[in-house]
Amino acid sequence: MSELRFEQVTVRFGTGSRAMTAVDSVDLTIPSGQVVGLVGESGSGKSTLARAAVGLTELAGGRILLGGVPLRHRARGPRPLQLVFQDPYSSLDPRMSIGDSIAEAIPRTGPLSGGSARSAEVGRLLELVDLDPDRASAHPGVLSGGQRQRVALARALAGQPDVILADEITSALDVSVQGTVLNLVRELQRRLRLSMLFISHNLAVVRYVSDYIAVMYLGRIVEFGPAADVLADPQHPYTRDLLAAAPRRGTLTLDAEETDAALRAVADAEPADPHHPPAGCRFHPRCPVGPLVRPDRELCLTVDPTPEAAKRRHHTACHYAATALQAVDHVQ
Protein backbone atom coordinates (compact mmCIF):
# COMPACT_ATOMS: atom_id res chain seq x y z
CA MET A 1 0.00 0.00 0.00
CA SER A 2 1.23 3.49 -0.89
CA GLU A 3 -0.01 7.03 -0.60
CA LEU A 4 -0.76 8.81 -3.89
CA ARG A 5 -0.27 12.55 -3.77
CA PHE A 6 -0.94 15.29 -6.32
CA GLU A 7 1.10 18.44 -5.73
CA GLN A 8 0.10 21.59 -7.61
CA VAL A 9 -0.88 19.46 -10.61
CA THR A 10 -1.86 21.45 -13.70
CA VAL A 11 -3.05 20.13 -17.07
CA ARG A 12 -3.62 22.35 -20.10
CA PHE A 13 -5.07 21.64 -23.53
CA GLY A 14 -4.68 23.72 -26.67
CA THR A 15 -2.76 26.89 -27.31
CA GLY A 16 -3.45 30.57 -27.79
CA SER A 17 -6.89 32.05 -27.19
CA ARG A 18 -8.54 28.61 -27.12
CA ALA A 19 -6.16 27.16 -24.55
CA MET A 20 -7.89 25.64 -21.55
CA THR A 21 -6.58 24.75 -18.12
CA ALA A 22 -8.56 21.60 -17.31
CA VAL A 23 -6.80 20.98 -13.97
CA ASP A 24 -5.46 23.99 -12.12
CA SER A 25 -2.88 23.64 -9.33
CA VAL A 26 -4.59 20.70 -7.64
CA ASP A 27 -3.33 19.36 -4.32
CA LEU A 28 -4.92 16.04 -3.36
CA THR A 29 -3.84 13.03 -1.28
CA ILE A 30 -5.17 9.48 -1.48
CA PRO A 31 -4.06 7.93 1.83
CA SER A 32 -2.70 4.40 1.80
CA GLY A 33 -5.47 1.82 1.96
CA GLN A 34 -8.24 4.44 1.76
CA VAL A 35 -10.85 5.48 -0.83
CA VAL A 36 -11.11 9.11 -1.86
CA GLY A 37 -14.30 9.96 -3.72
CA LEU A 38 -13.76 12.74 -6.27
CA VAL A 39 -17.06 14.39 -7.17
CA GLY A 40 -18.09 17.23 -9.43
CA GLU A 41 -20.21 17.92 -12.48
CA SER A 42 -19.14 17.07 -16.04
CA GLY A 43 -16.22 19.17 -17.23
CA SER A 44 -14.81 19.85 -13.78
CA GLY A 45 -11.53 18.04 -14.55
CA LYS A 46 -12.02 14.77 -12.63
CA SER A 47 -11.21 12.37 -15.47
CA THR A 48 -8.33 14.55 -16.67
CA LEU A 49 -6.74 14.30 -13.23
CA ALA A 50 -7.01 10.49 -13.32
CA ARG A 51 -5.60 10.30 -16.84
CA ALA A 52 -2.68 12.48 -15.79
CA ALA A 53 -1.94 10.10 -12.92
CA VAL A 54 -1.55 7.10 -15.25
CA GLY A 55 0.42 9.04 -17.86
CA LEU A 56 -2.29 9.37 -20.53
CA THR A 57 -2.24 13.16 -20.23
CA GLU A 58 0.88 15.29 -19.92
CA LEU A 59 1.36 17.58 -16.94
CA ALA A 60 1.83 21.29 -17.55
CA GLY A 61 2.95 21.78 -13.95
CA GLY A 62 3.29 20.15 -10.57
CA ARG A 63 4.08 16.54 -9.83
CA ILE A 64 2.46 13.25 -8.78
CA LEU A 65 4.09 11.10 -6.09
CA LEU A 66 3.50 7.51 -5.04
CA GLY A 67 4.88 6.64 -1.64
CA GLY A 68 6.76 9.94 -1.67
CA VAL A 69 8.53 9.13 -4.96
CA PRO A 70 7.67 11.00 -8.19
CA LEU A 71 5.93 8.80 -10.75
CA ARG A 72 7.78 8.14 -13.97
CA HIS A 73 5.51 6.73 -16.64
CA ARG A 74 7.12 4.16 -18.89
CA ALA A 75 5.92 2.23 -21.92
CA ARG A 76 7.10 -1.02 -20.29
CA GLY A 77 7.61 -2.31 -16.81
CA PRO A 78 5.44 -2.36 -13.68
CA ARG A 79 2.51 0.06 -13.58
CA PRO A 80 1.69 0.87 -9.96
CA LEU A 81 -1.48 2.75 -10.97
CA GLN A 82 -4.34 1.16 -12.90
CA LEU A 83 -7.27 3.05 -14.41
CA VAL A 84 -10.71 1.48 -14.83
CA PHE A 85 -12.55 3.39 -17.56
CA GLN A 86 -16.15 4.55 -17.61
CA ASP A 87 -17.42 2.65 -20.66
CA PRO A 88 -17.22 -1.14 -20.25
CA TYR A 89 -18.14 -1.60 -23.93
CA SER A 90 -15.00 0.11 -25.27
CA SER A 91 -12.42 -0.65 -22.57
CA LEU A 92 -11.95 -4.30 -23.64
CA ASP A 93 -10.62 -5.54 -27.00
CA PRO A 94 -13.57 -7.34 -28.66
CA ARG A 95 -11.17 -9.67 -30.54
CA MET A 96 -9.56 -11.02 -27.37
CA SER A 97 -11.07 -13.45 -24.91
CA ILE A 98 -11.56 -12.02 -21.45
CA GLY A 99 -8.97 -14.48 -20.14
CA ASP A 100 -6.39 -13.17 -22.61
CA SER A 101 -7.26 -9.56 -21.75
CA ILE A 102 -6.67 -10.22 -18.05
CA ALA A 103 -3.52 -12.30 -18.66
CA GLU A 104 -2.05 -9.48 -20.76
CA ALA A 105 -1.99 -7.26 -17.66
CA ILE A 106 -0.22 -9.80 -15.42
CA PRO A 107 3.49 -8.95 -14.91
CA ARG A 108 5.70 -11.04 -17.20
CA THR A 109 8.37 -11.52 -14.58
CA GLY A 110 8.19 -13.22 -11.21
CA PRO A 111 6.19 -16.22 -10.00
CA LEU A 112 3.33 -15.67 -12.47
CA SER A 113 5.48 -15.67 -15.60
CA GLY A 114 4.73 -19.31 -16.52
CA GLY A 115 1.76 -20.26 -18.68
CA SER A 116 0.03 -22.50 -16.14
CA ALA A 117 0.58 -19.97 -13.33
CA ARG A 118 -0.90 -17.19 -15.46
CA SER A 119 -3.97 -19.29 -16.30
CA ALA A 120 -4.48 -20.08 -12.63
CA GLU A 121 -4.15 -16.38 -11.76
CA VAL A 122 -6.75 -15.47 -14.41
CA GLY A 123 -9.16 -17.94 -12.82
CA ARG A 124 -8.48 -16.55 -9.36
CA LEU A 125 -9.09 -12.97 -10.51
CA LEU A 126 -12.36 -13.91 -12.21
CA GLU A 127 -13.55 -15.55 -9.00
CA LEU A 128 -12.46 -12.46 -7.08
CA VAL A 129 -14.88 -10.33 -9.14
CA ASP A 130 -17.66 -12.92 -8.88
CA LEU A 131 -17.34 -14.37 -12.39
CA ASP A 132 -17.08 -18.07 -13.26
CA PRO A 133 -13.47 -18.95 -14.21
CA ASP A 134 -14.92 -21.02 -17.07
CA ARG A 135 -15.87 -17.74 -18.74
CA ALA A 136 -12.19 -17.03 -19.45
CA SER A 137 -12.60 -18.21 -23.05
CA ALA A 138 -15.61 -15.96 -23.68
CA HIS A 139 -15.36 -12.74 -25.66
CA PRO A 140 -16.65 -9.37 -24.42
CA GLY A 141 -19.48 -9.40 -26.97
CA VAL A 142 -21.38 -12.08 -25.05
CA LEU A 143 -21.13 -10.30 -21.70
CA SER A 144 -23.45 -7.72 -20.16
CA GLY A 145 -22.24 -4.26 -19.21
CA GLY A 146 -21.96 -5.23 -15.56
CA GLN A 147 -19.98 -8.36 -16.41
CA ARG A 148 -17.62 -6.39 -18.64
CA GLN A 149 -16.97 -3.91 -15.86
CA ARG A 150 -16.15 -6.83 -13.55
CA VAL A 151 -13.64 -8.03 -16.15
CA ALA A 152 -12.17 -4.51 -16.31
CA LEU A 153 -11.75 -4.60 -12.52
CA ALA A 154 -10.09 -8.03 -12.74
CA ARG A 155 -7.75 -6.73 -15.43
CA ALA A 156 -6.82 -3.75 -13.25
CA LEU A 157 -6.09 -6.05 -10.31
CA ALA A 158 -4.00 -8.31 -12.55
CA GLY A 159 -1.39 -5.58 -12.80
CA GLN A 160 -0.87 -5.78 -9.01
CA PRO A 161 -1.25 -2.00 -8.63
CA ASP A 162 -0.67 0.11 -5.55
CA VAL A 163 -3.59 2.38 -6.46
CA ILE A 164 -6.72 1.94 -8.59
CA LEU A 165 -8.41 4.90 -10.23
CA ALA A 166 -12.08 4.16 -10.98
CA ASP A 167 -13.49 6.70 -13.44
CA GLU A 168 -17.31 6.81 -13.37
CA ILE A 169 -17.38 3.00 -13.51
CA THR A 170 -21.10 2.70 -12.77
CA SER A 171 -22.51 5.62 -14.78
CA ALA A 172 -22.85 3.60 -18.03
CA LEU A 173 -24.60 0.69 -16.29
CA ASP A 174 -28.28 0.04 -15.70
CA VAL A 175 -29.49 1.20 -12.31
CA SER A 176 -30.26 -2.40 -11.36
CA VAL A 177 -26.60 -3.35 -11.95
CA GLN A 178 -24.93 -0.32 -10.38
CA GLY A 179 -25.56 -1.50 -6.83
CA THR A 180 -23.94 -4.91 -7.37
CA VAL A 181 -20.83 -3.32 -8.90
CA LEU A 182 -20.58 -0.81 -6.03
CA ASN A 183 -20.92 -3.64 -3.52
CA LEU A 184 -18.12 -5.48 -5.31
CA VAL A 185 -15.86 -2.40 -5.29
CA ARG A 186 -16.41 -1.88 -1.59
CA GLU A 187 -15.79 -5.57 -0.82
CA LEU A 188 -12.59 -5.68 -2.91
CA GLN A 189 -11.26 -2.52 -1.32
CA ARG A 190 -11.84 -3.81 2.19
CA ARG A 191 -10.50 -7.27 1.48
CA LEU A 192 -7.39 -6.15 -0.38
CA ARG A 193 -6.92 -2.81 1.46
CA LEU A 194 -6.60 -1.02 -1.85
CA SER A 195 -5.89 2.66 -2.23
CA MET A 196 -8.47 4.08 -4.61
CA LEU A 197 -9.55 7.29 -6.28
CA PHE A 198 -13.24 6.79 -7.02
CA ILE A 199 -14.57 9.37 -9.49
CA SER A 200 -18.25 10.18 -9.90
CA HIS A 201 -20.65 13.05 -10.49
CA ASN A 202 -23.11 11.41 -8.10
CA LEU A 203 -22.64 12.11 -4.39
CA ALA A 204 -25.03 9.29 -3.51
CA VAL A 205 -22.60 6.85 -5.15
CA VAL A 206 -19.48 8.47 -3.67
CA ARG A 207 -20.82 8.45 -0.09
CA TYR A 208 -21.35 4.67 -0.34
CA VAL A 209 -17.72 3.73 -1.00
CA SER A 210 -15.53 6.61 0.18
CA ASP A 211 -13.50 7.32 3.31
CA TYR A 212 -12.80 10.88 2.13
CA ILE A 213 -14.57 13.16 -0.31
CA ALA A 214 -12.98 15.77 -2.58
CA VAL A 215 -15.21 18.21 -4.46
CA MET A 216 -13.94 19.60 -7.76
CA TYR A 217 -15.21 22.65 -9.64
CA LEU A 218 -13.73 24.15 -12.82
CA GLY A 219 -10.40 22.39 -12.40
CA ARG A 220 -9.89 23.06 -8.70
CA ILE A 221 -10.57 21.23 -5.45
CA VAL A 222 -13.02 23.38 -3.48
CA GLU A 223 -13.56 21.08 -0.47
CA PHE A 224 -11.88 18.00 0.98
CA GLY A 225 -12.38 16.05 4.17
CA PRO A 226 -13.59 12.83 5.79
CA ALA A 227 -16.70 11.61 3.98
CA ALA A 228 -18.94 11.65 7.06
CA ASP A 229 -17.89 15.22 7.95
CA VAL A 230 -18.28 16.63 4.44
CA LEU A 231 -21.71 15.04 4.01
CA ALA A 232 -22.97 16.04 7.45
CA ASP A 233 -21.56 19.58 7.47
CA PRO A 234 -20.51 20.76 3.98
CA GLN A 235 -18.62 24.03 4.04
CA HIS A 236 -18.68 25.11 0.37
CA PRO A 237 -21.90 26.32 -1.30
CA TYR A 238 -21.12 24.13 -4.35
CA THR A 239 -20.98 21.03 -2.16
CA ARG A 240 -24.34 22.08 -0.74
CA ASP A 241 -25.72 22.32 -4.27
CA LEU A 242 -24.45 18.84 -5.12
CA LEU A 243 -26.07 17.44 -1.99
CA ALA A 244 -29.31 19.22 -2.80
CA ALA A 245 -29.28 17.61 -6.25
CA ALA A 246 -29.28 14.16 -4.59
CA PRO A 247 -32.78 13.94 -3.05
CA ARG A 248 -32.80 13.28 0.69
CA ARG A 249 -34.39 14.76 3.77
CA GLY A 250 -33.08 18.05 5.09
CA THR A 251 -31.27 19.30 1.98
CA LEU A 252 -31.57 22.76 0.52
CA THR A 253 -33.99 23.27 -2.36
CA LEU A 254 -34.61 26.65 -3.93
CA ASP A 255 -38.23 27.11 -4.98
CA ALA A 256 -38.55 29.79 -7.65
CA GLU A 257 -41.87 30.82 -6.13
CA GLU A 258 -40.28 31.43 -2.72
CA THR A 259 -36.93 33.06 -3.47
CA ASP A 260 -36.00 36.50 -4.73
CA ALA A 261 -34.83 37.33 -8.24
CA ALA A 262 -31.11 37.21 -7.38
CA LEU A 263 -31.37 33.71 -5.92
CA ARG A 264 -33.36 32.50 -8.93
CA ALA A 265 -30.70 33.95 -11.23
CA VAL A 266 -27.79 32.15 -9.63
CA ALA A 267 -29.80 28.94 -9.32
CA ASP A 268 -30.44 29.00 -13.08
CA ALA A 269 -26.91 30.10 -14.08
CA GLU A 270 -24.91 27.84 -16.37
CA PRO A 271 -21.37 26.71 -15.46
CA ALA A 272 -18.70 29.16 -16.56
CA ASP A 273 -16.74 28.68 -19.78
CA PRO A 274 -13.63 26.68 -18.75
CA HIS A 275 -11.64 28.57 -21.41
CA HIS A 276 -12.38 31.81 -19.56
CA PRO A 277 -13.02 31.05 -15.87
CA PRO A 278 -14.31 33.92 -13.72
CA ALA A 279 -11.88 36.03 -11.74
CA GLY A 280 -11.80 35.66 -7.98
CA CYS A 281 -13.88 32.75 -6.74
CA ARG A 282 -14.79 30.62 -9.75
CA PHE A 283 -18.14 29.68 -8.26
CA HIS A 284 -19.32 33.23 -7.57
CA PRO A 285 -21.62 33.55 -10.66
CA ARG A 286 -23.63 30.57 -9.36
CA CYS A 287 -23.24 31.06 -5.61
CA PRO A 288 -26.49 31.47 -3.61
CA VAL A 289 -24.60 33.39 -0.92
CA GLY A 290 -22.11 35.20 -3.17
CA PRO A 291 -21.80 38.76 -4.49
CA LEU A 292 -24.71 38.49 -6.93
CA VAL A 293 -27.00 37.91 -3.96
CA ARG A 294 -24.99 39.70 -1.26
CA PRO A 295 -23.48 42.89 -2.77
CA ASP A 296 -21.31 43.38 0.32
CA ARG A 297 -19.25 40.34 -0.69
CA GLU A 298 -17.23 42.04 -3.43
CA LEU A 299 -14.16 40.12 -2.26
CA CYS A 300 -15.41 37.06 -4.18
CA LEU A 301 -15.24 38.98 -7.47
CA THR A 302 -11.51 39.62 -7.37
CA VAL A 303 -9.73 37.46 -4.77
CA ASP A 304 -9.20 33.74 -5.27
CA PRO A 305 -10.05 31.86 -2.03
CA THR A 306 -7.95 28.79 -2.94
CA PRO A 307 -4.57 29.92 -1.48
CA GLU A 308 -6.09 30.21 1.99
CA ALA A 309 -8.16 27.01 1.76
CA ALA A 310 -5.81 24.97 3.98
CA LYS A 311 -6.61 27.29 6.91
CA ARG A 312 -10.35 26.54 6.71
CA ARG A 313 -12.36 23.51 7.74
CA HIS A 314 -12.38 20.84 5.01
CA HIS A 315 -9.79 22.94 3.13
CA THR A 316 -12.71 24.90 1.72
CA ALA A 317 -12.08 27.35 -1.12
CA CYS A 318 -14.68 29.88 0.06
CA HIS A 319 -14.05 33.24 1.72
CA TYR A 320 -17.26 32.99 3.71
CA ALA A 321 -17.43 29.27 4.40
CA ALA A 322 -18.78 29.53 7.96
CA THR A 323 -21.09 32.48 7.39
CA ALA A 324 -22.19 31.08 4.04
CA LEU A 325 -23.84 28.12 5.73
CA GLN A 326 -25.75 30.37 8.09
CA ALA A 327 -27.01 32.49 5.19
CA VAL A 328 -28.16 29.45 3.21
CA ASP A 329 -29.89 27.95 6.24
CA HIS A 330 -31.76 31.23 6.63
CA VAL A 331 -33.18 30.83 3.10
CA GLN A 332 -34.64 27.39 3.87
Side-chain angles (χ1 to χ4, degrees), residues 86-167:
Q86 176 178 355
D87 185 5
Y89 294 94
S90 61
S91 61
L92 298 173
D93 189 336
R95 298 167 296 181
M96 296 178 66
S97 70
I98 62 174
D100 287 342
S101 290
I102 295 171
E104 186 180 46
I106 298 174
R108 298 187 177 277
T109 58
L112 299 177
S113 59
S116 59
R118 295 171 74 83
S119 296
E121 178 67 0
V122 168
R124 185 189 74 84
L125 290 167
L126 286 172
E127 287 185 329
L128 196 62
V129 297
D130 296 336
L131 288 175
D132 189 336
D134 292 338
R135 303 298 296 274
S137 59
H139 284 72
V142 303
L143 302 180
S144 68
Q147 290 172 329
R148 293 186 193 200
Q149 204 61 292
R150 291 171 185 269
V151 173
L153 283 167
R155 179 179 167 87
L157 294 173
Q160 301 174 1
D162 295 301
V163 182
I164 285 182
L165 303 104
D167 185 11

Side-chain angles (χ1 to χ4, degrees), residues 1-3 30-35 128 157 161-164 184-196 209-212:
M1 298 186 294
S2 296
E3 176 188 85
I30 292 85
S32 180
Q34 303 287 302
V35 179
L128 196 62
L157 294 173
D162 295 301
V163 182
I164 285 182
L184 175 63
V185 168
R186 190 164 70 166
E187 179 185 348
L188 288 173
Q189 192 276 330
R190 290 177 177 176
R191 186 190 308 181
L192 304 176
R193 297 305 300 163
L194 293 168
S195 302
M196 181 180 294
V209 299
S210 302
D211 301 296
Y212 295 86

